[in-house]
Amino acid sequence: MIDRIVGGIFILIAAAALGHAYTLVVPFAADPVGPRVFPMIVATALGLSGIAICVRPGQITLEFGDWRRVIAILAAAIIYPFLLVPLGFITATALLCFVSALAFRARALPAAISASVTAVFFFVMLDMLLDLPLPRGPLGI
Amino acid sequence: MEALSLLLSGFEVALTPLNLLVAFAGVALGTAIGALPGIGPLNAVALLLPLCFALKLPPETALILLAGIYYGSGYGGRIASILLNIPGDPGLVMTTLDGYPLARAGRGSAALAISGIGSFVGGTSAVILMTFLAVPLARLALSFGPADYVALMVLAFALLTMIGENSPAKTLAAVALGLLFAMVGIDGGSGVERFTFDSIELVGGIDFTSLTMGLFAVSEILILVEGLTVGAVARYTKGAHLTIKEIVFCIPAMLRSTAIGFFFGILPGTGAAVASTVAYIAEKRVSDRGTFGKGDMRGLAAPETADNAAQTGSMVPMLALGIPGSGTTAIMLGAFMMYSITPGPLLFTQRPEVAWGLIASMYVGNIMLLVLNLPLVGLFARLLLVPAWILYPGVLGLSFAGVYAVSNSAFELLITTAFGVIAYVFRKVGVPIIPVLSAFVLARLLEDNFRRALTLSSGDPAILVQSPTSIVLWLLTVVVLLGPIFAPRLKSVIAEGSDPRDDRSSGG
């Protein structure tokens, strides 16, 4: 069943890609095939693979562990880019690492300490020692 | 002896203080990262790639560093396999079979020593073979026309279906998706935007670092935090040291395994997992007297030697043909492209300092690794004790910092997370992710050659199957794709070595 869904999604993506490739018409291309033939071949291959998966689905059992921990890390990772520039690298990264550490079953205090140390360590290493500019945040650090 | 004089000029590059330092940093870091459970060489190379680029290291120096991490991790990975019975990478599954029983029998240090020597023998012999084989192979590839390249790349994709437990259809779907991801952005041939969804950020295409970090680092952390894979308890006992007699006893096994490992390494698509499995099975056939699996030194030396020989071997097609031999070499190929260097036949004539500097550095690096891994192995073994809640948040932070350092764009971080989610779902439903990466890296080359071939023939597709080389390659592709249908045992023998939980079977 799961394999059929996977195959079905691949077929849908393939159809969408084919449709998009079909619209790629250029008045002049440097070569006889232009920009559309290659995507169309690839999309066809994807569609055929999807059909093959649907026709002969394997047995997969979806196993999920503690999915709330996955959501926690994902949420932190999605919010992180929006905080990075306003808060600066150190604060934003410390928050990211703090949430992730909690998700990896750390207790709050050790998680806070290790997250802050990690964030400062990366900032010193990357921004100061290796001279790769990272966002500095309101306090200038 | 043309190769020797070229190698000597390579040593002039490899022995400069900066490159020596970088090689040492690379192999030490590689050993350490290889020893950490859960972070394979692929993640390690991916994590450092943006840093090399952002630091504006010269290309040969960056590649010496990345290669050092790659083959260094082959040494480090054995530590967790032997002491904890946790293979950090599918190429190391076989190492646990006799390594862990040896450690339990109180011969942990001897097991680490013999496998370290095996890694050295495999790694160094493979570099020697590479020194003499890379240029002839590159010369052969020079005669390839665009149509031959198309056939060669299709064959490389077909070989990806041979490994792992994933169904061939899923592997092919992964290849197709990787190609589609690579097409996002402006088409070089016509200037038209493809698959950009009218987003300004996507006009420049999907960034290679965002893709790799997402596919590997982020998805790995999501898988690990779920807690389905549980680590065993560490036990590190010293016990009796390795004797000279035991080393001599293992030499024939090491030599056989070097040949097997190197051969499977240079085949694009297959890699360390297949090589170490075949080497173990072959060694068991030749020398087992009922001792294999219970702590036979040869059963440990064979897969370790093959693993390292295959890692080095997989760099041969990357350098000589521009086709990655494994997931990690696919990332290194991406590194070449970030430096606007085209790996492949012309690399040896146009940028000899890069090609030969890299090869020469691998001689030096393997000696450094032997020194690091025999007396100092206990130091690396301590890394097994770093708790997950310090390690993995750090990996996440570093991968985001790396993506940001290269792109200076917060949007790229969202792309990275998106690929992390895609790869997480793929791993859950058994779609392999390494083919996505290999296809992404090769897409441009494949499409360019495809269009060039059709330009030569004014649009007649028959040109794709006209040269003798391309006919041979297409026939091989058919054999590879249809072979498992007629000989199902072959696939199951090869698949035995792969970790069913993971798809890193192409050698990490």
Side-chain angles (χ1 to χ4, degrees), chain B residues 156-169:
Chain B
F157 293 150
L159 281 167
L160 289 171
T161 62
M162 298 271 290
I163 43 171
E165 305 222 316
N166 304 295
S167 80

Side-chain angles (χ1 to χ4, degrees), chain B residues 342-378:
Chain B
T342 317
L346 294 175
L347 179 71
F348 287 88
T349 47
Q350 287 175 349
R351 302 297 295 266
E353 82 284 4
V354 174
W356 287 103
L358 179 61
I359 294 175
S361 83
M362 294 175 70
Y363 284 92
V364 184
N366 271 296
I367 294 170
M368 289 174 175
L369 278 165
L370 188 66
V371 176
L372 273 177
N373 275 279
L374 290 183
L376 300 179
V377 71

Side-chain angles (χ1 to χ4, degrees), chain A residues 2-3 6 10 13 17 20-21 24 26 28-39 41-43 45-46 49 52-53 60-67 69-70 73-74 77-78 80-82 84-85 89 93 96-97 100-101 103-106 110-111 114 118 122 125-126 130 132-135, chain B residues 50-51 54-55 167 169-170 172-177 179-180 183 187 189-190 192-197 218 221-228 388-390 392-398 400-402 404-405 408 410-411 413-414 417 421 424 426 428-431 443 446-447 450-451 454-455 458-459:
Chain A
I2 291 157
D3 254 10
V6 172
F10 286 159
I13 297 174
H20 175 75
L24 296 171
V26 282
F28 171 80
D31 55 286
V33 294
R36 59 196 287 198
V37 174
F38 188 66
I41 294 174
V42 172
L46 179 62
S49 317
I53 296 169
I60 335 178
T61 39
L62 269 190
E63 265 186 287
F64 287 101
D66 204 339
W67 55 269
R69 296 176 187 279
V70 177
I73 290 195
L74 265 185
I78 291 169
Y80 179 76
F82 297 99
L84 186 58
V85 175
F89 177 82
T93 307
L96 174 76
C97 291
S100 319
F104 274 101
R105 296 183 166 78
S114 96
T118 306
F122 285 155
M125 206 176 73
L126 299 176
L130 300 179
L132 302 170
L134 293 170
Chain B
L51 299 185
L55 277 173
S167 80
K170 283 183 178 172
L172 290 180
V175 167
L177 282 170
L179 294 173
L180 286 178
M183 280 179 231
D187 165 44
S190 62
V192 72
E193 282 180 26
R194 296 193 290 189
F195 301 103
T196 55
F197 306 97
V218 175
I221 285 164
L222 295 181
I223 292 276
L224 284 167
V225 80
E226 261 188 298
L228 285 179
W389 55 268
I390 295 182
Y392 301 123
V395 169
L396 189 64
L398 184 60
F400 279 1
Y404 190 84
N408 255 311
F411 178 79
L413 296 175
L414 289 176
T417 306
V421 175
Y424 172 79
F426 275 16
K428 286 282 172 193
V429 299
V431 177
L446 178 59
E447 182 172 11
F450 172 74
R451 283 159 82 164
L454 289 178
T455 307
S458 321

Side-chain angles (χ1 to χ4, degrees), chain B residues 441-499:
Chain B
V441 171
L442 290 180
R444 182 75 189 277
L445 201 62
L446 178 59
E447 182 172 11
D448 283 354
N449 277 297
F450 172 74
R451 283 159 82 164
R452 209 170 292 151
L454 289 178
T455 307
L456 289 176
S457 71
S458 321
D460 180 6
I463 190 170
L464 295 174
V465 287
Q466 267 166 358
S467 79
T469 313
S470 65
I471 292 171
V472 170
L473 292 170
W474 283 112
L475 284 176
L476 282 173
T477 306
V478 171
V479 169
V480 168
L481 287 180
L482 298 184
I485 299 174
F486 298 110
R489 259 197 83 223
L490 188 74
K491 181 164 160 96
S492 63
V493 167
I494 292 171
E496 222 169 88
S498 334
D499 189 332

